[in-house]
Amino acid sequence: MTGFSKVLVANRGEIAVRVIRAAHDEGLAAVAVYAEPDRGALHVEMADEVVPLGGATAAESYLDIAKILEAARLTGADAVHPGYGFLSENAEFARAVGEAGLVWIGPPPAAIEALGDKVSARRIAEKVGAPLAPGTVDPVRDAEEVLRFADEHGLPVAIKAAHGGGGRGIKVVRERGEIPALYDSAVREAVAAFGRGECFVERFLDAPRHVETQCLADAHGTVVVVSTRDCSLQRRNQKLVEEAPAPFLSEEQNRELYRASGALLREAGYVGAGTCEFLVGRDGTISFLEVNTRLQVEHPVSEEVSGLDLVAEQFRIARGERLTPGHPEIRGHSLEFRLNGEDPGRDFLPSPGTITRFEVPSGPGVRVDAGFRAGDVVSGAFDSLIAKLVVTGGSREQALRRARRALAELRVEGVPTVLPFHRAVLEEAAFAPELAGADDAGRGGAPPPGSPSTRAGSRRSSRGSSPRAPPPGRRPGPTSSSSPGGASGCPCRRPSGRRSPASRRTTTCPAPRATGSPPRSRAW
């Protein structure tokens, strides 16, 4: 067993708040780090100790490995949790944490390298028999290889950055003549975003669903699939709405997702929390996409339907404890709505500014994970995620009804957000067929004045009529007899706009860019 008592959270925003809360629940001390724009942030005030990193950009702060390790040394932290984004999938950082004598709360560096490289991950998937669309085993050398692949397997094809993520470095080719230009574009984007330009090619599944499995793996060979999730509602290949379990899957599809996920992680020697992502085509074809070697933004929906605290499970695994064998029983249905500081009326343009009003909903089945409060500034230097609204019910229909009520209660002013989009989505029969035709009396609250009444944009593809079936060994859960289909364009108009212990210490990091006085504690 590897014990630790003080966790440094190498992140910001709502995920830093989430990890700090879990640490306090476990009786652990929490250390926060911050860049200058985050001086008065919620995660800074909640931590037991704080260290300024200096700088106003990610490169000058949250991506600076030396500064973060120095912060751990100064505070005596004996473990590091990376959250998601920033350095969370950086094998070099994971290795440096271990070499500094600290506990890394994440997967082994070798597993991050094997699964973070999409070509290497594809080889592992082929070895264990995971479902795969046709694709190249190795990165392609030039556009000519892409042309030959397209001639053999047909169009459309996807050119993907081998070391990419977050929807960047992906180009979809629908016309053969576009291949040379789009290949060059994919390489340039990959170099700019990830520092490496290698790309591979695979057959593109048109209008697929994005389905994933939340997994946990311990150092003793046990792999648990916590739940499936559907994350198909996206903009620019980045998720907006997620739900668990993934609806409208057959029992056979569920069984294959569980089997393939366990086999992938065992073969890679994975330890920790991770997510196996798949595409499900209109014809039901499943194709492995990638493994995210970290906690996902959408992890709360899996927590809600399984009863597990996934951050606490990460702590347990990092201590060397054994997981309880067997997949958790799924109870009910949960949806997550990301509240980004973006303007849906301007193609989801990030819109930094000061939040002047922030009133969150409550009531049965409602959870809000937030990293901001009224008066906080949403910086343009970092991710635009303000909070996540997570709504759970005994069935998908009940969760949708509660979500409509909660979204109607939620108020954010001062910065544009995607809130009008989410409200419109729930009025769209393609996404919420269970609510189609419902009158105001059944809504649990009518939409507030100014909410869009036109149709919601959706990247969801047509779905089959099969309801969700439980994976092997599960009791049947609630199902839906209806299935959404089709897609439409975005209607959204521009919107109108824990503690903080007295003993908390601020440690000044001696790095050159760390300046200024420490933040002051403030009650909340």
Side-chain angles (χ1 to χ4, degrees):
M1 292 289 181
T2 304
F4 51 89
S5 60
K6 184 183 291 188
V7 179
L8 184 144
V9 184
N11 218 296
R12 65 181 295 278
E14 69 84 19
I15 187 57
V17 171
R18 171 73 183 87
V19 176
I20 290 169
R21 283 178 171 149
H24 288 160
D25 287 348
E26 294 279 306
L28 303 171
V31 177
V33 293
Y34 68 92
E36 283 305 306
D38 289 332
R39 171 171 293 274
L42 180 58
H43 79 280
V44 173
E45 296 192 1
M46 291 182 63
D48 302 290
E49 296 177 62
V50 297
V51 179
L53 298 176
T57 67
E60 297 169 336
S61 54
Y62 302 108
L63 292 175
D64 192 319
I65 294 175
K67 284 186 177 182
I68 292 172
L69 292 180
E70 178 63 6
R73 187 192 69 80
L74 288 170
T75 58
D78 48 7
V80 174
H81 193 299
Y84 54 69
F86 294 129
L87 294 168
S88 62
E89 294 180 280
N90 187 306
E92 178 188 352
F93 181 49
R95 195 170 282 114
V97 168
E99 291 172 352
L102 309 174
V103 176
W104 168 249
I105 304 175
I112 295 175
E113 290 170 335
L115 295 171
D117 180 331
K118 289 181 171 58
V119 174
S120 171
R122 188 177 179 88
R123 290 197 189 102
I124 294 173
E126 288 180 335
K127 183 175 181 180
V128 302
L132 280 168
T136 57
V137 177
D138 298 305
V140 294
R141 291 185 293 272
D142 50 37
E144 285 299 318
E145 282 197 52
V146 184
L147 286 165
R148 289 195 293 272
F149 180 89
D151 291 341
E152 180 180 355
H153 297 285
L155 294 170
V157 300
I159 305 171
K160 296 184 175 182
H163 304 280
R168 292 173 293 178
I170 300 176
K171 301 296 175 183
V172 177
V173 182
R174 300 185 182 277
E175 300 290 339
R176 192 177 188 278
E178 299 175 337
I179 287 177
L182 289 179
Y183 171 76
D184 290 342
S185 177
V187 171
R188 287 194 303 271
E189 188 173 316
V191 171
F194 312 110
R196 299 180 63 174
E198 298 98 320
C199 292
F200 70 100
V201 184
E202 68 182 20
R203 186 75 164 81
F204 182 71
L205 296 180
D206 225 348
R209 293 171 58 195
H210 182 129
V211 175
E212 60 191 32
T213 57
Q214 172 66 64
C215 303
L216 294 170
D218 65 24
H220 310 283
T222 300
V223 179
V224 171
V225 177
V226 178
S227 81
T228 57
R229 293 191 291 251
D230 189 300
C231 309
S232 303
L233 192 55
Q234 304 180 8
R235 52 89 175 94
R236 294 190 296 276
N237 291 319
Q238 295 183 324
K239 303 163 188 172
L240 281 172
V241 180
E242 303 98 347
E243 58 183 300
F248 314 113
L249 292 176
S250 69
E251 183 175 352
E252 181 181 356
Q253 288 172 319
N254 256 312
R255 185 181 294 112
E256 177 60 8
L257 290 169
Y258 273 61
R259 182 204 68 79
S261 300
L264 279 161
L265 297 188
R266 288 189 188 93
E267 180 64 27
Y270 197 86
V271 177
T275 297
C276 298
E277 301 195 350
F278 302 84
L279 298 178
V280 179
R282 292 183 178 184
D283 61 356
T285 299
I286 300 174
S287 179
F288 168 71
L289 183 62
E290 63 182 354
V291 176
N292 290 125
T293 58
R294 55 174 167 80
L295 199 65
Q296 295 276 87
V297 178
E298 59 270 22
H299 76 273
V301 292
S302 293
E303 292 182 322
E304 293 299 313
V305 298
S306 67
L308 296 178
D309 179 333
L310 292 177
V311 181
E313 293 298 316
Q314 287 184 295
F315 292 156
R316 289 183 56 214
I317 293 169
R319 287 193 291 261
E321 298 180 26
R322 292 178 179 270
L323 292 170
T324 302
H327 309 306
E329 179 184 351
I330 299 299
R331 298 169 295 181
H333 200 92
S334 188
L335 299 110
E336 176 180 283
F337 301 85
R338 299 193 190 189
L339 188 63
N340 299 325
E342 300 172 351
D343 190 339
R346 300 175 64 192
D347 196 25
F348 296 94
L349 182 72
S351 302
T354 301
I355 301 171
T356 58
R357 183 185 182 191
F358 189 20
E359 297 178 4
V360 300
S362 60
V366 177
R367 164 180 171 179
V368 178
D369 283 14
F372 291 81
R373 305 146 298 184
D376 287 346
V377 176
V378 180
S379 169
F382 304 111
D383 186 82
S384 63
L385 183 63
I386 296 171
K388 303 179 302 194
L389 172 64
V390 184
V391 185
T392 306
S395 65
R396 188 173 194 263
E397 179 177 353
Q398 186 181 53
L400 287 166
R401 291 186 182 280
R402 286 177 171 176
R404 185 158 56 183
R405 182 259 302 166
L407 287 166
E409 293 178 6
L410 182 58
R411 294 288 186 276
V412 184
E413 295 177 3
V415 294
T417 72
V418 297
L419 182 55
F421 174 83
H422 290 322
R423 289 170 177 161
V425 161
L426 293 193
E427 304 307 316
E428 172 57 59
F431 178 78
E434 297 90 338
L435 303 186
D439 57 22
D440 288 348
R443 292 184 179 185
S451 294
S453 58
T454 49
R455 294 171 62 84
S458 172
R459 288 181 52 87
R460 286 186 179 268
S461 63
S462 299
R463 292 175 171 170
S465 59
S466 298
R468 173 181 60 83
R474 291 285 174 81
R475 285 192 324 205
T479 62
S480 170
S481 59
S482 304
S483 60
S488 55
C490 178
C492 300
R493 302 186 183 94
R494 295 181 61 183
S496 56
R498 172 149 136 101
R499 65 173 185 158
S500 182
S503 60
R504 180 169 67 89
R505 296 189 292 114
T506 299
T507 304
T508 301
C509 180
R513 290 185 290 270
T515 59
S517 58
R520 292 163 54 189
S521 178
R522 181 169 57 184
W524 65 282

